Amino acid sequence: QNPAFLEIVYLSSTGQILAHAPQDDSMLANLFTASQSRWFVVARQGQYYVGDVQITADNQTYLILAISAAHGGVIAARLQMQVLQDVVASLHFGESGISYLVNQDGRIIAHSDARIVLAQTRLDSHPELLALVRAAQQTWAGEYTDLQGTPVVGTTVPVPGTPWVVVTEASQAEAYAASR
């Protein structure tokens, strides 16, 4: 009944569907592909699986989460990314302040501007920022150049239990205007 969950499935250790609750399309409970899916294999090995953001044909973003269950089974969910997008978009500070969520591979998975997510923007062409994201073990704050080439003051904060990092930034011109 939570609109953030598009689908939840409980599978046995062999990939048989034990319970299934889809809100819309059934993507996880495909008997032919479920047991071969990366999320199933990783979760069955006892590890948490947090997938990459995926985009449907009608530009809806979602991701797959999976955990191991009793007797080698797996519980997986398809989570609507609009929930995280709304949280990130609601973070406001100053006139130029933005925030976004990045995975460890440098892909922006939620951003104040949803078009950046739909464009599947990556930090590959911004090695300084990509290095900060990959090294984020704790909160970091400092100066760097943003995706548009503007000097900014920013912070990176790892999201506990995920391979994600929250980045917040504001232009240096705005951040230091009061001290001038």
Side-chain angles (χ1 to χ4, degrees):
Q1 293 182 345
N2 185 330
F5 289 103
L6 299 172
E7 180 179 13
I8 299 173
V9 64
Y10 178 31
L11 303 167
S12 71
S13 62
T14 60
Q16 296 299 310
I17 299 169
L18 302 175
H20 183 229
Q23 257 194 36
D24 55 10
D25 298 330
S26 178
M27 298 172 85
L28 300 177
N30 182 324
L31 287 174
F32 298 107
T33 61
S35 63
Q36 299 170 358
S37 300
R38 178 150 171 71
W39 57 264
F40 180 82
V41 172
V42 169
R44 192 175 62 189
Q45 294 171 349
Q47 300 173 25
Y48 292 114
Y49 177 86
V50 179
D52 207 3
V53 173
Q54 299 179 46
I55 302 172
T56 64
D58 60 348
N59 283 334
Q60 299 300 312
T61 54
Y62 69 92
L63 63 85
I64 297 171
L65 306 171
I67 60 171
S68 61
H71 309 293
V74 170
I75 297 175
R78 205 164 34 96
L79 178 68
Q80 180 183 30
M81 283 299 295
Q82 190 61 43
V83 174
L84 287 176
Q85 182 66 36
D86 291 346
V87 169
V88 168
S90 72
L91 300 175
H92 296 288
F93 49 97
E95 295 295 319
S96 64
I98 64 165
S99 58
Y100 49 99
L101 196 58
V102 183
N103 69 15
Q104 287 295 310
D105 295 326
R107 183 169 173 202
I108 298 175
I109 61 173
H111 194 284
S112 297
D113 180 352
R115 294 173 297 186
I116 290 178
V117 176
L118 293 175
Q120 298 185 22
T121 304
R122 299 180 57 84
L123 300 180
D124 296 336
S125 60
H126 303 279
E128 179 185 56
L129 189 51
L130 181 58
L132 289 173
V133 166
R134 287 189 173 154
Q137 300 297 317
Q138 55 189 331
T139 301
W140 174 89
E143 299 175 345
Y144 57 91
T145 303
D146 71 3
L147 300 174
Q148 288 74 37
T150 304
V152 296
V153 175
T155 61
T156 61
V157 179
V159 178
T162 72
W164 304 335
V165 175
V166 174
V167 178
T168 60
E169 56 191 31
S171 72
Q172 288 181 15
E174 180 180 356
Y176 299 134
S179 65
R180 292 188 196 133

